[in-house]
Each structure stands twice: as structure tokens, then as C-alpha cells.
Amino acid sequence: MTSKIPSREPDLTVREVAEAIHLNPETVRILARQGVFPNAYKTGAGKSTAHIRIPWADVEAYRKKQPRVHG
């Protein structure tokens, strides 16, 4: 199975981030709310139904902090 790396522009959706780092989309939403992706933002007026966008730089920083699995 190959991992499709999304383009670096524009900022990524929760689903795109989840696919890139192999997590469930809800986990990505939780991480964004916890500040793991410091530049994440909501589209629209910031309502609870607004979509979250995450810059690729935040995703890369998260990936670099993760332990490597050797096997």
C-alpha cells in the first residue's frame, strides 16, 4: 500500500492529515484541539461546524517528533 502525500498547498483537511500520518481523523481533531498542530485553524466563522485546516509545516513537525519504528 502506498501513502499518498498531499500537496503542500493549500493547508490540509483533517482527513488529508489523518491519511498522511496514519491516524483516525477524530484523533487528528483531538490533537488539533490540544495544540499539537499550533497553526491549525477553523474555516468560516469558527463555528462548531467549521472545518479544521492544518498547515503542512505543522504536519511535518509532528512527524519528526514521532519515534521511528524499526523492524
Side-chain angles (χ1 to χ4, degrees):
M1 181 170 95
T2 61
S3 175
K4 178 183 170 195
I5 301 297
S7 67
R8 288 169 171 68
E9 295 297 331
D11 296 337
L12 307 172
T13 66
V14 167
R15 185 174 303 272
E16 290 170 329
V17 172
E19 290 175 6
I21 60 178
H22 308 289
L23 292 175
N24 184 286
E26 187 56 31
T27 303
V28 173
R29 285 184 195 89
I30 291 167
L31 292 173
R33 285 192 294 266
Q34 292 175 342
V36 172
F37 303 111
N39 299 301
Y41 59 94
K42 288 186 174 184
T43 60
K47 297 179 183 178
S48 61
T49 59
H51 296 279
I52 298 172
R53 295 291 185 267
I54 302 171
W56 180 253
D58 283 5
V59 177
E60 282 293 300
Y62 174 83
R63 290 171 68 165
K64 288 179 183 176
K65 292 178 184 176
Q66 300 311 300
R68 303 274 180 193
V69 177
H70 300 290

